[in-house]
Amino acid sequence: MNWYVDVLKKYAVFSGRARRKEYWMFALFSVIISIVLTILDNALDINFLAGLYSLAVLLPSLAVGVRRLHDTSRSGWWLLIALIPLVGAIVLLVFFVSEGKPEANEYGPNPKYAPAV
C-alpha cells in the first residue's frame, strides 16, 4: 500500500523516474479500488463512486506513467501512442514492463539505487 500512497503524494510530479514496482503496485491497487467501488455503485444503485475515483486518480496515473517512461529513457509524450488502437496499447505495455536503464539518464538517477527521499 505504501507504493500507492507514494504515488498519490507525488500527485502531479512529472519529473524523475519511477520503478516498475512503483508503477505496477499503483496500477494494482487502483484496479482493486475501482472494482470495489463499482460493486458498491451497483449495490447502492448510485453509479458515481467509480467515476469519481477514476477522475481523482487521473493526474497521478498520468504522472506515474510519465515517470515510468522516463525510467526507460523515453519521453513522457510516448503516452500518446496509446491513442493508436490496439497497437499503441501493446507498445506502451511493452515500455512499461521493460527494465529501467541502470545508469543515470537525463531524467535522473536510477530510482532502484537512489536513496529514498
Side-chain angles (χ1 to χ4, degrees), residues 15-78:
S15 60
R17 296 168 65 172
R19 294 176 59 187
R20 281 186 295 186
K21 188 172 189 176
E22 179 181 359
Y23 178 81
W24 289 110
M25 293 304 277
F26 177 77
L28 173 68
F29 280 105
S30 288
V31 167
I32 291 170
I33 292 169
S34 292
I35 290 170
V36 169
L37 289 175
T38 301
I39 291 169
L40 278 174
D41 274 349
N42 291 333
L44 300 174
D45 198 30
I46 51 178
N47 298 326
F48 73 87
L49 292 176
L52 188 63
Y53 173 75
S54 296
L55 188 60
V57 295
L58 176 64
L59 200 55
S61 297
L62 291 173
V64 76
V66 167
R67 290 194 314 269
R68 179 69 205 124
L69 288 169
H70 286 175
D71 194 39
T72 60
S73 292
R74 291 180 178 84
S75 168
W77 290 105
W78 276 100

Side-chain angles (χ1 to χ4, degrees), residues 94-107:
V94 169
F95 289 166
F96 285 156
V97 299
S98 299
E99 177 77 27
K101 301 297 180 197
E103 66 278 349
N105 63 19
E106 64 269 23
Y107 303 107

